[in-house]
Amino acid sequence: MPTWAGPVIILALVIIAVVIALIALQVARRRRQSQELHETFGPEYDRTVSQYGSQGRAEAELTTRKERVEALDIRPLAPADRSRFTQAWRATQARFVDDPTRATTDADRLITDLLRVRGYPVSDFERRAADISVTHPNVVANYRIAHATSLANEQGQASTEDLRTAMIHYRALYDELLETDTERTTERTEVG
């Protein structure tokens, strides 16, 4: 064996080891990223994977959503806005007894207005739901169901029970959107 063969073999083995290490680091990074996205988005992660038919494409979409929402100016409500929305929600709920159709339509509009005031773009429902999934992943499914019921309601295809369920779903999102960052921090501190 030539004298240069030993160092070349060693160099080749080192290069192979480095490549294997880099691949292992890349796989570990992707797993960690997948786990972080799954923890951040909860059930929305699984819904998006199912929708896109590919974990990689779904994760790219979720990452894009996260980056888009981070660039938005999402803000807590001013006390006057909070009071106005609280009164409006109470009136909407009370209206449900006598006019469930109108109350459900009003709830959908109220949520849209609340999102707008908080800083979310509201022009397109799918975009709105995607943006909400970043900060409120556990109730975005409720919002999608409630909105679909509201659309069915406009076509006269929703029962009173459907409308009642939609109002419950709207309420879950409403409660989360009405909270301020200070309240969330305080709750987490008290619980943890």
Side-chain angles (χ1 to χ4, degrees), residues 134-165:
V134 175
T135 51
H136 303 285
N138 295 319
V139 294
V140 71
N142 293 348
Y143 185 39
R144 285 190 178 99
I145 292 167
H147 184 71
T149 302
S150 187
L151 294 175
N153 181 37
E154 290 174 7
Q155 302 297 315
Q157 299 174 348
S159 69
T160 302
E161 181 59 25
D162 294 335
L163 298 177
R164 185 188 70 75
T165 302

Side-chain angles (χ1 to χ4, degrees), residues 90-163:
R90 285 182 185 146
T92 299
Q93 277 189 202
R95 188 175 307 112
F96 186 83
V97 173
D98 294 325
D99 192 352
T101 297
R102 181 171 166 223
T104 305
T105 300
D106 290 350
D108 190 64
R109 285 189 196 128
L110 184 62
I111 291 293
T112 301
D113 190 34
L114 179 53
L115 288 165
R116 182 188 52 73
V117 170
R118 293 281 317 266
Y120 290 93
V122 295
S123 60
D124 172 52
F125 174 78
E126 286 305 319
R127 165 87 185 267
R128 195 166 55 234
D131 290 347
I132 292 168
S133 75
V134 175
T135 51
H136 303 285
N138 295 319
V139 294
V140 71
N142 293 348
Y143 185 39
R144 285 190 178 99
I145 292 167
H147 184 71
T149 302
S150 187
L151 294 175
N153 181 37
E154 290 174 7
Q155 302 297 315
Q157 299 174 348
S159 69
T160 302
E161 181 59 25
D162 294 335
L163 298 177

Side-chain angles (χ1 to χ4, degrees), residues 2 7 13 23 37 40 77 87-88 108 113 124-125 129 176 180 186:
L13 290 174
I23 291 171
L37 286 170
T40 298
L77 290 173
Q87 290 172 1
D108 190 64
D113 190 34
D124 172 52
F125 174 78
E176 284 208 20
T180 63
T186 303

Side-chain angles (χ1 to χ4, degrees), residues 33-44:
Q33 180 184 20
S34 292
Q35 183 178 4
E36 287 172 4
L37 286 170
H38 199 276
E39 289 172 3
T40 298
F41 285 93
E44 181 68 7

Side-chain angles (χ1 to χ4, degrees), residues 167-186:
M167 288 295 288
I168 291 168
H169 290 319
Y170 280 130
R171 177 62 191 247
L173 179 58
Y174 168 83
D175 285 343
E176 284 208 20
L177 290 172
L178 205 63
E179 291 180 349
T180 63
D181 293 336
T182 305
E183 288 174 332
R184 286 178 168 229
T185 303
T186 303

